[in-house]
């Protein structure tokens, strides 16, 4: 026996000789109980109000002000999860959750998450856990190939450029980020630094102040946040207005006009964030035409396909990504639609070397021969932070356990359920569909002739529906129109849940509408 570690046999300690934070038998006992608890939760999840009905501060008022000085029993803690935590949960896994976009889950991903947590590898570079880096490369290529992304986004794509095969950095590849926000920040930084370098030795600040970025008024707010963080001037962020007439898609012509005006004003176009499946209404920006517009300007084109990108594993939706071979990067979040639990956002880049250039650091304590020879991928240089979890296990388990066919069936089934909801709305003369339902999201509202009144009615309807706890929906405003969003796709949702949610909506609409409203709607 060499080093005995900290001395827990100190007789003055309250648990003299007992403290062992990872005793494998104790672990087994507790973990079995938690698994039972979770399985029971999933089984009875419909009994809970989907939207938590607690008031702000409810938990702060219930729990002690300080942590205990003596350890407490596991039973007691689990009991408090039931007592205090459960009421304050909004049940994202509930089959009656139709808000935002679903955050999908699966047994396979859960198993992957358990393994990830168990190994606790901090895989910042290859050597820190070779399996973590290489499995990530494998699953990123697998998913890229399921999506029919061009080889230029894949590690295995380097086979087609043998000249450069000595170094991973010359070819494309993918990385798992936590969220889309991180994916956009990383690519925007790479684009910024490329632009600064190309312009030559600089007055950095003067030059940065000239960089202009583009998106539409439907681009996710995470883009604006990324711009703030990366130092893009607020006045140089062009969020080009879209219209209901063009289904809220970014117009290539409007983009071209904006770029031309900026160039004429001496500004430098830097980055375009195109969206496949916007958050408000799942609008699809016309990638092929957009790429055509920007070719002559050396603009970094990123595609944000956080939610809808997953649908492209089905051949009938792949056309939504037409033109992707000419973009610089693409992000897609399997935690939204590919059953993989939070957090999991895939980012593919054509030239990871640009990410590495901007994001790499090489402190002495992380150095090793392999990293210095550039013969391995060190993922710390492809992301914001240094430490990283073994996230790829989750996706590996999902892709292997279900296979392409089941995953396609899962996407199609959700879209089928959304069609059922859409038909229910269309068959009712009091309601209307307000944006094309491209995937699993249906945007709808109570009709009305007077816009203020209509908005107020729909707001009231939303409140009413959510206060029942029997369904949860959210809203958005697009083109100045307040609308309700019904997002189908929570993993446990079946047809009868969709039909039941529609019944709740109908029932609450009867409460919200006055006789006068009803008469007006009839006359529309
Ligand atoms: C959900 C969503 C985001 C935000 O994703 P995070 O992973 O939470 O950063 C960005 N873009 C689109 C289109 C989304 O739907």
């Amino acid at each position: 026996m060499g080093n005995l570690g900290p001395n827990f046999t100190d007789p003055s300690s309250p648990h003299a000789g007992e403290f062992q934070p990872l005793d494998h038998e104790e672990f087994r006992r507790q973990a079995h109980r938690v698994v039972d608890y979770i399985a029971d939760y999933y089984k009875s999840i419909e009994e809970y109000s989907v939207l938590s009905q607690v008031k702000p501060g409810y938990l702060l008022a219930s729990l002690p002000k300080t942590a205990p000085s003596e350890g407490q029993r596991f039973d007691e803690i689990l009991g408090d999860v039931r007592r205090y935590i459960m009421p304050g949960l909004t049940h994202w896994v509930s089959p009656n959750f139709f808000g935002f976009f679903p955050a999908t889950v699966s047994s396979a991903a859960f198993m992957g998450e358990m393994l990830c947590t168990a190994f606790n590898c901090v895989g910042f570079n290859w050597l820190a856990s070779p399996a973590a880096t290489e499995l990530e490369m494998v699953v990123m290529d697998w998913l890229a190939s399921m999506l029919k992304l061009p080889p230029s986004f894949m590690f295995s794509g380097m086979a087609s450029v043998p000249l450069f095969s000595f170094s991973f950095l010359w070819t494309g590849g993918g990385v798992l980020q936590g969220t889309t926000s991180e994916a956009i920040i990383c690519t925007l930084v790479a684009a910024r630094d490329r632009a600064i370098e190309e312009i030559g030795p600089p007055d950095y600040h003067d030059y940065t102040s000239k960089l202009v970025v583009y998106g539409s008024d439907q681009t996710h707010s995470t883009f604006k946040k990324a711009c703030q963080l990366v130092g893009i001037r607020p006045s140089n962020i062009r969020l080009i207005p879209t219209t209901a007439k063009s289904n809220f898609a970014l117009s290539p012509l409007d983009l071209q006009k904006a770029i031309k005006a900026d160039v004429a004003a001496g500004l430098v176009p830097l980055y375009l964030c195109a969206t496949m499946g916007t958050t408000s209404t799942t609008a699809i920006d016309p990638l092929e035409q957009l790429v055509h517009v920007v070719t002559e300007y050396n603009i970094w084109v990123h595609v944000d396909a956080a939610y809808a990108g997953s649908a492209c594993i089905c051949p009938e939706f792949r056309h939504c990504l037409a033109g992707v071979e000419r973009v610089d990067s693409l992000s897609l979040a399997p935690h939204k639609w590919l059953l993989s639990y939070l957090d999991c956002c895939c980012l593919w880049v054509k030239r990871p070397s640009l990410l590495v250039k901007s994001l790499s650091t090489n402190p002495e304590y992380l150095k090793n021969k392999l990293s210095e020879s550039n013969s391995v991928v060190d993922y710390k240089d492809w992301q914001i932070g240094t430490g990283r979890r073994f996230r790829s296990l989750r996706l590996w388990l999902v892709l292997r356990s279900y296979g392409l066919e089941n995953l396609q069936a899962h996407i199609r089934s959700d879209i089928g359920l959304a069609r059922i909801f859409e038909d229910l709305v269309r068959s009712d003369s009091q309601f209307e569909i307000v944006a094309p339902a491209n995937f699993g999201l249906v945007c709808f509202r109570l009709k009305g002739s007077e816009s203020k009144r209509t908005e107020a009615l729909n707001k009231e309807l939303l409140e009413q529906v959510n206060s029942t706890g029997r369904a949860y929906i959210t809203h958005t405003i697009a083109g100045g129109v307040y609308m309700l969003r019904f997002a189908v796709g929570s993993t446990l949702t079946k047809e009868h849940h969709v039909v039941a949610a529609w019944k709740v909506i109908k029932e609450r609409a009867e409460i919200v509408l006055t006789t006068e409203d009803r008469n007006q709607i009839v006359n529309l």
Side-chain angles (χ1 to χ4, degrees), residues 122-142:
V122 188
F124 39 79
N125 60 20
W126 182 88
L127 201 57
S129 227
T133 295
E134 294 195 17
L135 187 66
E136 189 161 327
M137 295 167 74
V138 168
V139 297
M140 290 305 292
D141 269 14
W142 280 9

Side-chain angles (χ1 to χ4, degrees), residues 263-276:
V263 171
L267 299 172
V268 181
L270 176 73
Y271 187 99
L272 165 66
C273 182
T275 308
M276 188 220 137

